[in-house]
Each structure stands twice: as structure tokens, then as C-alpha cells.
């Protein structure tokens, strides 16, 4: 059924492990990175909104926000619409961390591709690009085609019982 044996996922997982390991050496864990990422993409987000989107409790959100503020990745501004809350923003240091994560991943993938000759690299990258755009188009379409297949698998399982 799955000719790829989920190897794209497995390679991405190895790259992620390397990235996490390297980022931990810089003092940032995955939970903190997720927090920074959310704030970067939603400047002026409240801590309550962060909690809701990351599905974390109030104490964990407060600790992460304080830790990231102390490390220089976030800053707060008073919320003009609600005197009890503050708005969170990413600092330039957080923007550099984003670039750092991308750079770390690039190093891993560059290393991985060194095992291929130039023709293999070109063919692989062309095919990978084709698959990337196919997946992007499917997401934009609301994952309709793959959702149908997943639903079909569920129906087959129920028929077997």
C-alpha cells in the first residue's frame, strides 16, 4: 500500500531530532520554540490565546512566556482593550532563531544529499518539488482527496467486523 514506507516522515523526524538537539544546546526546547513560533506568526497575541492554541495550562504558559522574555525572545506591551492582559511580541532574537532553525535543517539536508551524485540530486529534488506542490495543493483544498481515502479505510475496517 505505502511504497514509500513513510520514509519522507522518517527522514524529517531524524532532521527534527538533530534540530532539537542543536537548539537545546542553544537553550531553547521544543515547547519554547512552538511558543515563539506562534507569537512570531501572531504578533500581539495574548497569553490566553497562546494557551488556547497550544493547548497548555495557565501556569505552563506563564512560565514559558516569562522564561522567553528573560532570554530575550519575547516582549510584552499592555493590552489597550483589556487592562488585565498583555500582548506578546517576538524580538529580533526570536527572528534570528527562526533563521537558525532553518539553517540547522539545511545543514542536515545538505549533508544527506552529499550521498547522491549530481544527476541523482537533480532528479530527486525535481521529484521532491513535485510532491511538495501536490501536498500543498491538497492542503489548500482542505485535504479532500486524502480525507476520502481515510474515510474509505474506516468503512472497510467496519465491514470486516
Amino acid at each position: 500500500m505505502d511504497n514509500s514506507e513513510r520514509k519522507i516522515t522518517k527522514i524529517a523526524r531524524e532532521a527534527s531530532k538533530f534540530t532539537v538537539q542543536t537548539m537545546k544546546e542553544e537553550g531553547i526546547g521544543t515547547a519554547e520554540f512552538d511558543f515563539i513560533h506562534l507569537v512570531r506568526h501572531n504578533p500581539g497575541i495574548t497569553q490566553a490565546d497562546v494557551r488556547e492554541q497550544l493547548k497548555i495550562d495557565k501556569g505552563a504558559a506563564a512560565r514559558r512566556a516569562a522564561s522567553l522574555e528573560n532570554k530575550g525572545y519575547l516582549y510584552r506591551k499592555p493590552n489597550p482593550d483589556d487592562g488585565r492582559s498583555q500582548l506578546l511580541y517576538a524580538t529580533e532574537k526570536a527572528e534570528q532563531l527562526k533563521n537558525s532553525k532553518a539553517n540547522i535543517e539545511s545543514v542536515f539536508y545538505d549533508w544527506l544529499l552529499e550521498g547522491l551524485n549530481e544527476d541523482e540530486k537533480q532528479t530527486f529534488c525535481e521529484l521532491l518539488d513535485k510532491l511538495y506542490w501536490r501536498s500543498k495543493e491538497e492542503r489548500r483544498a482542505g485535504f479532500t482527496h486524502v480525507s476520502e481515502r481515510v474515510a474509505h479505510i474506516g468503512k472497510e475496517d467496519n465491514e470486516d467486523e
Side-chain angles (χ1 to χ4, degrees):
M1 181 170 122
D2 174 18
N3 294 330
S4 74
E5 298 176 351
R6 298 179 48 250
K7 287 184 180 158
I8 294 170
T9 301
K10 292 173 183 178
I11 292 168
R13 190 177 302 133
E14 297 303 331
S16 179
K17 287 176 185 175
F18 173 70
T19 303
V20 166
Q21 174 186 314
T22 304
M23 291 181 73
K24 279 187 179 176
E25 292 168 5
E26 294 179 18
I28 295 293
T30 54
E32 288 179 314
F33 186 81
D34 290 344
F35 199 105
I36 292 169
H37 182 76
L38 183 60
V39 172
R40 279 188 53 255
H41 289 279
N42 298 278
I45 192 170
T46 65
Q47 203 166 286
D49 289 337
V50 170
R51 285 194 325 260
E52 184 178 307
Q53 290 189 39
L54 293 180
K55 308 292 186 227
I56 58 176
D57 65 50
K58 192 173 185 175
R63 285 188 301 276
R64 278 188 207 136
S67 172
L68 291 169
E69 189 174 20
N70 288 336
K71 291 177 182 179
Y73 292 104
L74 301 179
Y75 65 94
R76 303 170 198 246
K77 286 185 178 178
N79 185 344
D81 298 329
D82 178 1
R84 297 170 296 155
S85 69
Q86 295 179 319
L87 306 177
L88 300 172
Y89 296 89
T91 64
E92 183 58 34
K93 186 175 179 179
E95 294 299 326
Q96 291 171 356
L97 181 65
K98 171 218 166 219
N99 294 333
S100 172
K101 181 179 186 290
N103 288 338
I104 294 166
E105 291 169 345
S106 290
V107 167
F108 182 88
Y109 289 119
D110 286 345
W111 169 84
L112 191 61
L113 291 174
E114 285 175 6
L116 303 177
N117 67 41
E118 289 306 312
D119 288 341
E120 290 171 328
K121 282 182 195 177
Q122 183 176 349
T123 300
F124 174 75
C125 289
E126 287 171 2
L127 292 171
L128 189 61
D129 190 61
K130 187 175 182 177
L131 293 174
Y132 169 75
W133 285 107
R134 181 172 163 81
S135 70
K136 192 91 163 166
E137 289 166 8
E138 180 67 3
R139 180 192 52 85
R140 288 178 178 153
F143 297 108
T144 54
H145 300 98
V146 291
S147 293
E148 287 172 8
R149 291 180 185 204
V150 169
H152 182 72
I153 292 168
K155 288 177 186 174
E156 288 176 352
D157 291 345
N158 289 336
E159 290 173 2
D160 290 343
E161 293 175 0

